Structure formats: structure tokens, C-alpha cells
PDB file of all heavy atoms in Angstrom:
ATOM      1  N   LEU I  17      27.801  -4.472  95.818  1.00  0.00           N
ATOM      2  CA  LEU I  17      28.478  -4.933  94.628  1.00  0.00           C
ATOM      3  C   LEU I  17      28.025  -4.194  93.370  1.00  0.00           C
ATOM      4  O   LEU I  17      28.751  -4.066  92.408  1.00  0.00           O
ATOM      5  CB  LEU I  17      28.298  -6.435  94.430  1.00  0.00           C
ATOM      6  CG  LEU I  17      29.057  -7.331  95.392  1.00  0.00           C
ATOM      7  CD1 LEU I  17      28.709  -8.791  95.147  1.00  0.00           C
ATOM      8  CD2 LEU I  17      30.558  -7.121  95.246  1.00  0.00           C
ATOM      9  N   THR I  18      26.813  -3.663  93.411  1.00  0.00           N
ATOM     10  CA  THR I  18      26.273  -2.941  92.254  1.00  0.00           C
ATOM     11  C   THR I  18      26.505  -1.427  92.352  1.00  0.00           C
ATOM     12  O   THR I  18      26.171  -0.710  91.475  1.00  0.00           O
ATOM     13  CB  THR I  18      24.773  -3.232  92.049  1.00  0.00           C
ATOM     14  OG1 THR I  18      24.080  -2.860  93.236  1.00  0.00           O
ATOM     15  CG2 THR I  18      24.537  -4.727  91.809  1.00  0.00           C
ATOM     16  N   GLY I  19      27.073  -1.002  93.461  1.00  0.00           N
ATOM     17  CA  GLY I  19      27.347   0.406  93.669  1.00  0.00           C
ATOM     18  C   GLY I  19      28.570   0.877  92.931  1.00  0.00           C
ATOM     19  O   GLY I  19      29.329   0.080  92.335  1.00  0.00           O
ATOM     20  N   SER I  20      28.832   2.160  92.978  1.00  0.00           N
ATOM     21  CA  SER I  20      29.959   2.772  92.261  1.00  0.00           C
ATOM     22  C   SER I  20      31.300   2.441  92.927  1.00  0.00           C
ATOM     23  O   SER I  20      32.328   2.427  92.241  1.00  0.00           O
ATOM     24  CB  SER I  20      29.794   4.263  92.152  1.00  0.00           C
ATOM     25  OG  SER I  20      29.710   4.853  93.445  1.00  0.00           O
ATOM     26  N   ALA I  21      31.316   2.212  94.223  1.00  0.00           N
ATOM     27  CA  ALA I  21      32.558   1.923  94.935  1.00  0.00           C
ATOM     28  C   ALA I  21      32.503   0.513  95.516  1.00  0.00           C
ATOM     29  O   ALA I  21      32.434   0.328  96.733  1.00  0.00           O
ATOM     30  CB  ALA I  21      32.794   2.954  96.032  1.00  0.00           C
ATOM     31  N   ALA I  22      32.444  -0.490  94.632  1.00  0.00           N
ATOM     32  CA  ALA I  22      32.294  -1.858  95.063  1.00  0.00           C
ATOM     33  C   ALA I  22      33.477  -2.287  95.939  1.00  0.00           C
ATOM     34  O   ALA I  22      34.610  -1.982  95.650  1.00  0.00           O
ATOM     35  CB  ALA I  22      32.157  -2.778  93.878  1.00  0.00           C
ATOM     36  N   PRO I  23      33.196  -3.013  97.010  1.00  0.00           N
ATOM     37  CA  PRO I  23      34.235  -3.526  97.893  1.00  0.00           C
ATOM     38  C   PRO I  23      34.956  -4.716  97.267  1.00  0.00           C
ATOM     39  O   PRO I  23      34.496  -5.288  96.287  1.00  0.00           O
ATOM     40  CB  PRO I  23      33.431  -3.992  99.118  1.00  0.00           C
ATOM     41  CG  PRO I  23      32.127  -4.384  98.564  1.00  0.00           C
ATOM     42  CD  PRO I  23      31.856  -3.428  97.446  1.00  0.00           C
ATOM     43  N   ARG I  24      36.088  -5.080  97.859  1.00  0.00           N
ATOM     44  CA  ARG I  24      36.777  -6.303  97.479  1.00  0.00           C
ATOM     45  C   ARG I  24      36.108  -7.436  98.256  1.00  0.00           C
ATOM     46  O   ARG I  24      35.911  -7.364  99.460  1.00  0.00           O
ATOM     47  CB  ARG I  24      38.275  -6.287  97.864  1.00  0.00           C
ATOM     48  CG  ARG I  24      39.135  -5.275  97.194  1.00  0.00           C
ATOM     49  CD  ARG I  24      39.418  -5.606  95.731  1.00  0.00           C
ATOM     50  NE  ARG I  24      40.032  -6.913  95.509  1.00  0.00           N
ATOM     51  CZ  ARG I  24      41.334  -7.105  95.300  1.00  0.00           C
ATOM     52  NH1 ARG I  24      42.170  -6.075  95.337  1.00  0.00           N
ATOM     53  NH2 ARG I  24      41.797  -8.322  95.076  1.00  0.00           N
ATOM     54  N   ILE I  25      35.779  -8.500  97.534  1.00  0.00           N
ATOM     55  CA  ILE I  25      35.128  -9.668  98.117  1.00  0.00           C
ATOM     56  C   ILE I  25      36.181 -10.758  98.225  1.00  0.00           C
ATOM     57  O   ILE I  25      36.768 -11.141  97.205  1.00  0.00           O
ATOM     58  CB  ILE I  25      33.928 -10.151  97.308  1.00  0.00           C
ATOM     59  CG1 ILE I  25      32.942  -8.994  97.058  1.00  0.00           C
ATOM     60  CG2 ILE I  25      33.259 -11.359  97.960  1.00  0.00           C
ATOM     61  CD1 ILE I  25      32.272  -8.469  98.277  1.00  0.00           C
ATOM     62  N   ILE I  26      36.383 -11.270  99.446  1.00  0.00           N
ATOM     63  CA  ILE I  26      37.425 -12.302  99.663  1.00  0.00           C
ATOM     64  C   ILE I  26      36.722 -13.549 100.186  1.00  0.00           C
ATOM     65  O   ILE I  26      36.068 -13.540 101.201  1.00  0.00           O
ATOM     66  CB  ILE I  26      38.474 -11.851 100.695  1.00  0.00           C
ATOM     67  CG1 ILE I  26      39.061 -10.475 100.316  1.00  0.00           C
ATOM     68  CG2 ILE I  26      39.543 -12.912 100.848  1.00  0.00           C
ATOM     69  CD1 ILE I  26      39.969 -10.464  99.149  1.00  0.00           C
ATOM     70  N   ASP I  27      36.916 -14.655  99.472  1.00  0.00           N
ATOM     71  CA  ASP I  27      36.398 -15.986  99.865  1.00  0.00           C
ATOM     72  C   ASP I  27      37.514 -16.651 100.644  1.00  0.00           C
ATOM     73  O   ASP I  27      38.568 -16.923 100.117  1.00  0.00           O
ATOM     74  CB  ASP I  27      36.072 -16.762  98.592  1.00  0.00           C
ATOM     75  CG  ASP I  27      35.446 -18.113  98.857  1.00  0.00           C
ATOM     76  OD1 ASP I  27      35.807 -18.786  99.847  1.00  0.00           O
ATOM     77  OD2 ASP I  27      34.564 -18.504  98.075  1.00  0.00           O
ATOM     78  N   VAL I  28      37.254 -16.923 101.939  1.00  0.00           N
ATOM     79  CA  VAL I  28      38.275 -17.506 102.787  1.00  0.00           C
ATOM     80  C   VAL I  28      38.114 -19.042 102.959  1.00  0.00           C
ATOM     81  O   VAL I  28      38.750 -19.636 103.799  1.00  0.00           O
ATOM     82  CB  VAL I  28      38.340 -16.819 104.169  1.00  0.00           C
ATOM     83  CG1 VAL I  28      38.673 -15.359 103.994  1.00  0.00           C
ATOM     84  CG2 VAL I  28      37.075 -17.004 104.961  1.00  0.00           C
ATOM     85  N   ARG I  29      37.251 -19.630 102.118  1.00  0.00           N
ATOM     86  CA  ARG I  29      37.006 -21.082 102.228  1.00  0.00           C
ATOM     87  C   ARG I  29      38.189 -21.895 101.644  1.00  0.00           C
ATOM     88  O   ARG I  29      39.110 -21.327 101.063  1.00  0.00           O
ATOM     89  CB  ARG I  29      35.699 -21.464 101.508  1.00  0.00           C
ATOM     90  CG  ARG I  29      34.459 -20.778 102.103  1.00  0.00           C
ATOM     91  CD  ARG I  29      33.261 -21.073 101.285  1.00  0.00           C
ATOM     92  NE  ARG I  29      33.418 -20.646  99.905  1.00  0.00           N
ATOM     93  CZ  ARG I  29      32.716 -21.111  98.856  1.00  0.00           C
ATOM     94  NH1 ARG I  29      31.791 -22.067  99.043  1.00  0.00           N
ATOM     95  NH2 ARG I  29      32.936 -20.666  97.658  1.00  0.00           N
ATOM     96  N   GLU I  30      38.088 -23.179 101.823  1.00  0.00           N
ATOM     97  CA  GLU I  30      39.090 -24.087 101.252  1.00  0.00           C
ATOM     98  C   GLU I  30      38.939 -24.220  99.746  1.00  0.00           C
ATOM     99  O   GLU I  30      37.884 -23.884  99.196  1.00  0.00           O
ATOM    100  CB  GLU I  30      38.892 -25.500 101.881  1.00  0.00           C
ATOM    101  CG  GLU I  30      39.080 -25.532 103.385  1.00  0.00           C
ATOM    102  CD  GLU I  30      40.504 -25.218 103.823  1.00  0.00           C
ATOM    103  OE1 GLU I  30      41.449 -25.660 103.171  1.00  0.00           O
ATOM    104  OE2 GLU I  30      40.661 -24.491 104.828  1.00  0.00           O
ATOM    105  N   ASP I  31      39.996 -24.672  99.085  1.00  0.00           N
ATOM    106  CA  ASP I  31      40.004 -24.767  97.630  1.00  0.00           C
ATOM    107  C   ASP I  31      38.804 -25.562  97.090  1.00  0.00           C
ATOM    108  O   ASP I  31      38.196 -25.181  96.106  1.00  0.00           O
ATOM    109  CB  ASP I  31      41.315 -25.429  97.130  1.00  0.00           C
ATOM    110  CG  ASP I  31      42.531 -24.584  97.411  1.00  0.00           C
ATOM    111  OD1 ASP I  31      42.371 -23.388  97.730  1.00  0.00           O
ATOM    112  OD2 ASP I  31      43.635 -25.103  97.297  1.00  0.00           O
ATOM    113  N   HIS I  32      38.486 -26.703  97.726  1.00  0.00           N
ATOM    114  CA  HIS I  32      37.408 -27.536  97.195  1.00  0.00           C
ATOM    115  C   HIS I  32      36.052 -26.870  97.348  1.00  0.00           C
ATOM    116  O   HIS I  32      35.157 -27.086  96.528  1.00  0.00           O
ATOM    117  CB  HIS I  32      37.431 -28.936  97.871  1.00  0.00           C
ATOM    118  CG  HIS I  32      37.039 -28.920  99.313  1.00  0.00           C
ATOM    119  ND1 HIS I  32      37.929 -28.587 100.308  1.00  0.00           N
ATOM    120  CD2 HIS I  32      35.841 -29.166  99.906  1.00  0.00           C
ATOM    121  CE1 HIS I  32      37.280 -28.667 101.490  1.00  0.00           C
ATOM    122  NE2 HIS I  32      36.025 -28.996 101.255  1.00  0.00           N
ATOM    123  N   GLU I  33      35.907 -25.998  98.328  1.00  0.00           N
ATOM    124  CA  GLU I  33      34.653 -25.271  98.477  1.00  0.00           C
ATOM    125  C   GLU I  33      34.529 -24.173  97.392  1.00  0.00           C
ATOM    126  O   GLU I  33      33.464 -24.007  96.785  1.00  0.00           O
ATOM    127  CB  GLU I  33      34.581 -24.607  99.868  1.00  0.00           C
ATOM    128  CG  GLU I  33      34.513 -25.601 101.031  1.00  0.00           C
ATOM    129  CD  GLU I  33      34.630 -24.903 102.360  1.00  0.00           C
ATOM    130  OE1 GLU I  33      35.756 -24.382 102.670  1.00  0.00           O
ATOM    131  OE2 GLU I  33      33.632 -24.861 103.080  1.00  0.00           O
ATOM    132  N   TRP I  34      35.616 -23.483  97.165  1.00  0.00           N
ATOM    133  CA  TRP I  34      35.683 -22.434  96.107  1.00  0.00           C
ATOM    134  C   TRP I  34      35.313 -23.081  94.737  1.00  0.00           C
ATOM    135  O   TRP I  34      34.560 -22.463  93.968  1.00  0.00           O
ATOM    136  CB  TRP I  34      37.057 -21.844  96.080  1.00  0.00           C
ATOM    137  CG  TRP I  34      37.401 -21.018  94.873  1.00  0.00           C
ATOM    138  CD1 TRP I  34      38.052 -21.457  93.751  1.00  0.00           C
ATOM    139  CD2 TRP I  34      37.100 -19.652  94.646  1.00  0.00           C
ATOM    140  NE1 TRP I  34      38.207 -20.434  92.868  1.00  0.00           N
ATOM    141  CE2 TRP I  34      37.625 -19.297  93.381  1.00  0.00           C
ATOM    142  CE3 TRP I  34      36.458 -18.668  95.397  1.00  0.00           C
ATOM    143  CZ2 TRP I  34      37.513 -18.035  92.827  1.00  0.00           C
ATOM    144  CZ3 TRP I  34      36.394 -17.368  94.851  1.00  0.00           C
ATOM    145  CH2 TRP I  34      36.874 -17.074  93.589  1.00  0.00           C
ATOM    146  N   ALA I  35      35.857 -24.223  94.458  1.00  0.00           N
ATOM    147  CA  ALA I  35      35.648 -24.855  93.177  1.00  0.00           C
ATOM    148  C   ALA I  35      34.172 -25.226  92.915  1.00  0.00           C
ATOM    149  O   ALA I  35      33.752 -25.278  91.768  1.00  0.00           O
ATOM    150  CB  ALA I  35      36.494 -26.129  93.059  1.00  0.00           C
ATOM    151  N   LYS I  36      33.398 -25.345  93.948  1.00  0.00           N
ATOM    152  CA  LYS I  36      31.975 -25.693  93.812  1.00  0.00           C
ATOM    153  C   LYS I  36      31.086 -24.486  93.562  1.00  0.00           C
ATOM    154  O   LYS I  36      29.897 -24.616  93.333  1.00  0.00           O
ATOM    155  CB  LYS I  36      31.488 -26.465  95.058  1.00  0.00           C
ATOM    156  CG  LYS I  36      32.110 -27.826  95.200  1.00  0.00           C
ATOM    157  CD  LYS I  36      31.605 -28.511  96.463  1.00  0.00           C
ATOM    158  CE  LYS I  36      32.282 -29.861  96.648  1.00  0.00           C
ATOM    159  NZ  LYS I  36      31.839 -30.485  97.880  1.00  0.00           N
ATOM    160  N   GLY I  37      31.667 -23.282  93.652  1.00  0.00           N
ATOM    161  CA  GLY I  37      30.927 -22.053  93.433  1.00  0.00           C
ATOM    162  C   GLY I  37      31.343 -20.975  94.376  1.00  0.00           C
ATOM    163  O   GLY I  37      31.783 -21.255  95.474  1.00  0.00           O
ATOM    164  N   HIS I  38      31.188 -19.739  93.892  1.00  0.00           N
ATOM    165  CA  HIS I  38      31.590 -18.571  94.721  1.00  0.00           C
ATOM    166  C   HIS I  38      30.858 -17.331  94.231  1.00  0.00           C
ATOM    167  O   HIS I  38      30.220 -17.344  93.164  1.00  0.00           O
ATOM    168  CB  HIS I  38      33.110 -18.378  94.664  1.00  0.00           C
ATOM    169  CG  HIS I  38      33.666 -18.401  93.282  1.00  0.00           C
ATOM    170  ND1 HIS I  38      34.028 -19.564  92.659  1.00  0.00           N
ATOM    171  CD2 HIS I  38      33.880 -17.425  92.384  1.00  0.00           C
ATOM    172  CE1 HIS I  38      34.454 -19.321  91.434  1.00  0.00           C
ATOM    173  NE2 HIS I  38      34.370 -17.996  91.243  1.00  0.00           N
ATOM    174  N   LEU I  39      30.971 -16.259  95.014  1.00  0.00           N
ATOM    175  CA  LEU I  39      30.354 -14.996  94.629  1.00  0.00           C
ATOM    176  C   LEU I  39      30.982 -14.436  93.380  1.00  0.00           C
ATOM    177  O   LEU I  39      32.213 -14.570  93.220  1.00  0.00           O
ATOM    178  CB  LEU I  39      30.475 -13.964  95.771  1.00  0.00           C
ATOM    179  CG  LEU I  39      29.389 -13.980  96.847  1.00  0.00           C
ATOM    180  CD1 LEU I  39      29.424 -15.235  97.668  1.00  0.00           C
ATOM    181  CD2 LEU I  39      29.488 -12.740  97.709  1.00  0.00           C
ATOM    182  N   PRO I  40      30.225 -13.814  92.509  1.00  0.00           N
ATOM    183  CA  PRO I  40      30.788 -13.175  91.323  1.00  0.00           C
ATOM    184  C   PRO I  40      31.850 -12.141  91.685  1.00  0.00           C
ATOM    185  O   PRO I  40      31.595 -11.307  92.579  1.00  0.00           O
ATOM    186  CB  PRO I  40      29.571 -12.523  90.650  1.00  0.00           C
ATOM    187  CG  PRO I  40      28.386 -13.254  91.187  1.00  0.00           C
ATOM    188  CD  PRO I  40      28.777 -13.667  92.592  1.00  0.00           C
ATOM    189  N   GLY I  41      32.959 -12.191  91.042  1.00  0.00           N
ATOM    190  CA  GLY I  41      34.034 -11.243  91.245  1.00  0.00           C
ATOM    191  C   GLY I  41      34.833 -11.451  92.517  1.00  0.00           C
ATOM    192  O   GLY I  41      35.744 -10.666  92.792  1.00  0.00           O
TER     193      GLY I  41
END
């Protein structure tokens, strides 16, 4: 994530899980 070619990060959890916190970006 700190590199020059950062990957796309996809959170595949449920909505209520996402709302409690997720990876930056």
C-alpha cells in the first residue's frame, strides 16, 4: 500500500462489518 504501484483493496465483507472499520483506501 505504501509502494508506488499500490494494488486495489477490496473488502468483501457484509455492510455491517464494513461499517465497523476497514483498511484505509
